[in-house]
Amino acid sequence: MFYKDKHILNILFEAIPEGVIIVDENQIIVAANHPVEKMFGYKKGELTNNQLNCLIPKKVHAIHKVHFNNFLNFNGVRKITHSLNLTGVKKSNENFPVEIGLNPFKIENKKYVLALIIDISVRKEDERRIDFINTELEKKVQQRTADLHNTISQLKELNLNFKKEIKKRKAAEKKLKESLQKEIELNELKSKFLTMVSHEFKTPLSGILTSSMLLNKYQLTEQQQNREKHIKTITNKAQYLDTILNDFLSIEKLESNNINYKLTSFNLSTVINEVVYNANMLLKEGQHIQFPNNIDEFIITQDEKYLKLALSNILNNAIKYSSENSTIVLEVSENNTVIEFKIIDTGIGIPEYAQKFICSRYFRADNALNIPGTGIGLNIVKNHINNLGGNLTFSSKINEGSTFIISLPNKF
């Protein structure tokens, strides 16, 4: 069983798309996967047993040794951060920018450090281009605004009868500013999106890697609880990544109009029970979902798959953005033609300025940036609900909670 587990861990180690190395307390590389060998220009197995300094610029060898020893003594995790300007050295002596996450661990009283290394050359180039585009856009705004002001001044000096023309010019100026501002916001949104995707994928991948490697440490029967803990971590992280990928696939299908909605008649209580059951897996300490139990005989005609998706997304958000020991309420009401689902929470709420953007793709309010998420779930839900002839509305107050309402036609 040990050799089988070791073989599985080796497969997982090599399957990670980012570069991973493990060094001992003497800065000797004891393991390196294929992506990191390729990243630094080495052949398979060539890095193993080498000094870590071969991957670090010579000018920082001395200070790196000090940082390395301090990190071992501190014995804490250093997550990947964009604020550090780190550089790696390829076998060809070419320098390139990297981001590195560090995680210390012990095996048989020996200290090791696991490093997750990402080549960010492409992203750095993208950031440089985005900065250049933003600078050019700002210049255009300033130049065009100056031109318009100059034209308006000339018209005023010529004759007061040109007031109508001046008014038109002002309107054009405003429209131009709005258009250029939208271009700037779009570029900022793209930059944030790249950062968000990178973070949302790296964090669970790091957790999967660490837990999968630590599984090998627990071989005894009495250590089953530790094994189950790490297996649960791997499962949860993998499910989170699967959810993100499914969201991106949904966006692609929505944009290409490649979705075939299927209307069927089904018992509403079955859908509600399934959605609540799955949501219960995500509940925090003391949280509770209150839902109706008097809908057993209620049959509706709609697309069952996308109704589940919409209810699950909003219910999961209510759990995620609410505190422990809180109650999330799911209410259902109907008449002959419309069915309405209302999900009420007492969570962090949505700031007033952000409410008009909350269903926009990739948008996330400032008070939610420290909570995992991609900012595309509500956009997907809103599109599906609209395509099914329904409507998604909400009301919210900061630090008091939110109420989301899904209205769908009951198509007999």
Short mmCIF file of all heavy atoms in Angstrom, two decimals, residues 273-298:
data_model
loop_
_atom_site.label_atom_id
_atom_site.label_comp_id
_atom_site.label_asym_id
_atom_site.label_seq_id
_atom_site.Cartn_x
_atom_site.Cartn_y
_atom_site.Cartn_z
N ASN A 273 -35.38 20.09 -1.83
CA ASN A 273 -34.67 19.20 -0.90
C ASN A 273 -33.24 18.93 -1.37
O ASN A 273 -32.30 18.89 -0.55
CB ASN A 273 -35.43 17.88 -0.76
CG ASN A 273 -36.72 18.05 0.01
OD1 ASN A 273 -36.87 18.97 0.80
ND2 ASN A 273 -37.68 17.15 -0.22
N GLU A 274 -33.05 18.73 -2.68
CA GLU A 274 -31.71 18.46 -3.20
C GLU A 274 -30.81 19.69 -3.04
O GLU A 274 -29.65 19.57 -2.63
CB GLU A 274 -31.79 18.07 -4.68
CG GLU A 274 -30.42 17.75 -5.29
CD GLU A 274 -30.53 17.31 -6.74
OE1 GLU A 274 -31.63 16.90 -7.16
OE2 GLU A 274 -29.51 17.39 -7.46
N VAL A 275 -31.32 20.87 -3.39
CA VAL A 275 -30.54 22.09 -3.28
C VAL A 275 -30.14 22.36 -1.82
O VAL A 275 -28.99 22.68 -1.52
CB VAL A 275 -31.32 23.29 -3.85
CG1 VAL A 275 -30.64 24.61 -3.50
CG2 VAL A 275 -31.46 23.16 -5.36
N VAL A 276 -31.10 22.20 -0.90
CA VAL A 276 -30.82 22.45 0.52
C VAL A 276 -29.85 21.40 1.07
O VAL A 276 -28.94 21.72 1.84
CB VAL A 276 -32.12 22.47 1.33
CG1 VAL A 276 -31.83 22.52 2.83
CG2 VAL A 276 -32.98 23.66 0.91
N TYR A 277 -30.02 20.15 0.65
CA TYR A 277 -29.11 19.09 1.11
C TYR A 277 -27.67 19.41 0.74
O TYR A 277 -26.75 19.30 1.56
CB TYR A 277 -29.54 17.75 0.50
CG TYR A 277 -28.61 16.61 0.85
CD1 TYR A 277 -28.72 15.91 2.05
CD2 TYR A 277 -27.60 16.22 -0.04
CE1 TYR A 277 -27.86 14.88 2.37
CE2 TYR A 277 -26.74 15.18 0.26
CZ TYR A 277 -26.88 14.51 1.47
OH TYR A 277 -26.01 13.48 1.78
N ASN A 278 -27.46 19.80 -0.52
CA ASN A 278 -26.11 20.12 -0.97
C ASN A 278 -25.57 21.36 -0.26
O ASN A 278 -24.39 21.43 0.08
CB ASN A 278 -26.09 20.34 -2.49
CG ASN A 278 -26.35 19.07 -3.26
OD1 ASN A 278 -26.03 17.97 -2.79
ND2 ASN A 278 -26.93 19.18 -4.44
N ALA A 279 -26.44 22.35 -0.04
CA ALA A 279 -26.01 23.57 0.64
C ALA A 279 -25.63 23.31 2.09
O ALA A 279 -24.74 23.97 2.64
CB ALA A 279 -27.10 24.63 0.55
N ASN A 280 -26.29 22.32 2.70
CA ASN A 280 -25.98 21.99 4.10
C ASN A 280 -24.53 21.57 4.28
O ASN A 280 -23.96 21.71 5.37
CB ASN A 280 -26.90 20.88 4.61
CG ASN A 280 -28.27 21.42 5.00
OD1 ASN A 280 -28.40 22.57 5.37
ND2 ASN A 280 -29.30 20.57 4.92
N MET A 281 -23.92 21.03 3.21
CA MET A 281 -22.52 20.62 3.28
C MET A 281 -21.59 21.82 3.47
O MET A 281 -20.44 21.67 3.90
CB MET A 281 -22.12 19.87 1.99
CG MET A 281 -23.00 18.68 1.67
SD MET A 281 -22.93 17.40 2.94
CE MET A 281 -24.07 16.18 2.23
N LEU A 282 -22.07 23.02 3.13
CA LEU A 282 -21.23 24.22 3.17
C LEU A 282 -21.48 25.08 4.40
O LEU A 282 -20.81 26.11 4.58
CB LEU A 282 -21.49 25.07 1.91
CG LEU A 282 -21.35 24.35 0.56
CD1 LEU A 282 -21.75 25.30 -0.56
CD2 LEU A 282 -19.93 23.85 0.36
N LEU A 283 -22.45 24.70 5.23
CA LEU A 283 -22.83 25.54 6.36
C LEU A 283 -21.67 25.76 7.33
O LEU A 283 -20.89 24.85 7.61
CB LEU A 283 -24.00 24.92 7.12
CG LEU A 283 -25.35 24.90 6.41
CD1 LEU A 283 -26.38 24.16 7.25
CD2 LEU A 283 -25.82 26.31 6.10
N LYS A 284 -21.57 26.98 7.84
CA LYS A 284 -20.59 27.30 8.87
C LYS A 284 -21.15 26.88 10.23
O LYS A 284 -22.32 26.48 10.35
CB LYS A 284 -20.30 28.81 8.87
CG LYS A 284 -19.75 29.33 7.55
CD LYS A 284 -19.63 30.85 7.58
CE LYS A 284 -19.20 31.39 6.23
NZ LYS A 284 -19.18 32.88 6.20
N GLU A 285 -20.32 27.00 11.25
CA GLU A 285 -20.72 26.61 12.59
C GLU A 285 -21.97 27.38 13.02
O GLU A 285 -22.00 28.61 13.00
CB GLU A 285 -19.58 26.91 13.58
CG GLU A 285 -19.86 26.48 14.99
CD GLU A 285 -19.85 24.96 15.13
OE1 GLU A 285 -19.17 24.28 14.35
OE2 GLU A 285 -20.53 24.47 16.06
N GLY A 286 -23.02 26.65 13.36
CA GLY A 286 -24.22 27.27 13.87
C GLY A 286 -25.17 27.82 12.83
O GLY A 286 -26.24 28.33 13.18
N GLN A 287 -24.82 27.73 11.54
CA GLN A 287 -25.73 28.22 10.51
C GLN A 287 -26.88 27.24 10.28
O GLN A 287 -26.74 26.04 10.52
CB GLN A 287 -24.97 28.44 9.19
CG GLN A 287 -24.18 29.73 9.14
CD GLN A 287 -23.60 30.00 7.77
OE1 GLN A 287 -23.33 29.07 7.00
NE2 GLN A 287 -23.39 31.26 7.45
N HIS A 288 -28.00 27.77 9.78
CA HIS A 288 -29.20 26.96 9.59
C HIS A 288 -29.96 27.48 8.39
O HIS A 288 -30.02 28.69 8.15
CB HIS A 288 -30.08 27.03 10.85
CG HIS A 288 -31.43 26.41 10.67
ND1 HIS A 288 -31.61 25.04 10.54
CD2 HIS A 288 -32.67 26.97 10.57
CE1 HIS A 288 -32.90 24.80 10.38
NE2 HIS A 288 -33.57 25.95 10.39
N ILE A 289 -30.52 26.55 7.59
CA ILE A 289 -31.34 26.94 6.45
C ILE A 289 -32.81 26.63 6.78
O ILE A 289 -33.16 25.50 7.10
CB ILE A 289 -30.93 26.17 5.18
CG1 ILE A 289 -29.48 26.47 4.82
CG2 ILE A 289 -31.84 26.55 4.01
CD1 ILE A 289 -28.95 25.65 3.66
N GLN A 290 -33.64 27.64 6.69
CA GLN A 290 -35.09 27.49 6.93
C GLN A 290 -35.79 27.47 5.57
O GLN A 290 -35.67 28.41 4.79
CB GLN A 290 -35.58 28.66 7.77
CG GLN A 290 -37.07 28.64 8.06
CD GLN A 290 -37.47 29.84 8.91
OE1 GLN A 290 -36.80 30.21 9.86
NE2 GLN A 290 -38.57 30.48 8.53
N PHE A 291 -36.52 26.39 5.28
CA PHE A 291 -37.16 26.27 3.98
C PHE A 291 -38.56 25.65 4.14
O PHE A 291 -38.83 24.98 5.14
CB PHE A 291 -36.31 25.43 3.02
CG PHE A 291 -36.08 24.02 3.46
CD1 PHE A 291 -36.84 22.98 2.93
CD2 PHE A 291 -35.10 23.71 4.39
CE1 PHE A 291 -36.63 21.67 3.32
CE2 PHE A 291 -34.88 22.41 4.79
CZ PHE A 291 -35.66 21.39 4.26
N PRO A 292 -39.46 25.85 3.18
CA PRO A 292 -40.84 25.39 3.33
C PRO A 292 -40.95 23.86 3.24
O PRO A 292 -40.22 23.21 2.51
CB PRO A 292 -41.57 26.06 2.15
CG PRO A 292 -40.49 26.31 1.15
CD PRO A 292 -39.24 26.61 1.94
N ASN A 293 -41.87 23.30 3.98
CA ASN A 293 -42.09 21.85 3.94
C ASN A 293 -43.52 21.49 3.52
O ASN A 293 -43.97 20.37 3.71
CB ASN A 293 -41.78 21.24 5.32
CG ASN A 293 -42.60 21.90 6.42
OD1 ASN A 293 -43.51 22.68 6.16
ND2 ASN A 293 -42.24 21.59 7.66
N ASN A 294 -44.21 22.48 2.94
CA ASN A 294 -45.61 22.24 2.55
C ASN A 294 -45.80 22.30 1.04
O ASN A 294 -46.82 22.74 0.55
CB ASN A 294 -46.51 23.26 3.24
CG ASN A 294 -46.12 24.70 2.88
OD1 ASN A 294 -45.06 24.91 2.32
ND2 ASN A 294 -46.98 25.64 3.21
N ILE A 295 -44.76 21.89 0.30
CA ILE A 295 -44.84 21.98 -1.17
C ILE A 295 -44.72 20.60 -1.82
O ILE A 295 -44.36 20.50 -2.99
CB ILE A 295 -43.74 22.92 -1.72
CG1 ILE A 295 -42.36 22.46 -1.24
CG2 ILE A 295 -43.99 24.36 -1.31
CD1 ILE A 295 -41.22 23.24 -1.85
N ASP A 296 -45.03 19.56 -1.07
CA ASP A 296 -44.84 18.20 -1.59
C ASP A 296 -45.69 17.91 -2.82
O ASP A 296 -45.29 17.12 -3.68
CB ASP A 296 -45.17 17.17 -0.50
CG ASP A 296 -44.14 17.20 0.62
OD1 ASP A 296 -43.03 17.71 0.37
OD2 ASP A 296 -44.45 16.74 1.72
N GLU A 297 -46.84 18.54 -2.90
CA GLU A 297 -47.75 18.25 -4.02
C GLU A 297 -47.64 19.27 -5.15
O GLU A 297 -48.42 19.23 -6.10
CB GLU A 297 -49.20 18.22 -3.50
CG GLU A 297 -49.43 17.25 -2.36
CD GLU A 297 -49.08 15.82 -2.76
OE1 GLU A 297 -49.34 15.45 -3.93
OE2 GLU A 297 -48.55 15.08 -1.92
N PHE A 298 -46.70 20.16 -5.06
CA PHE A 298 -46.61 21.25 -6.03
C PHE A 298 -45.78 20.80 -7.24
O PHE A 298 -44.58 20.56 -7.14
CB PHE A 298 -45.99 22.48 -5.36
CG PHE A 298 -46.02 23.70 -6.24
CD1 PHE A 298 -46.98 23.84 -7.24
CD2 PHE A 298 -45.10 24.72 -6.06
CE1 PHE A 298 -47.01 24.96 -8.03
CE2 PHE A 298 -45.12 25.85 -6.85
CZ PHE A 298 -46.08 25.96 -7.84
#
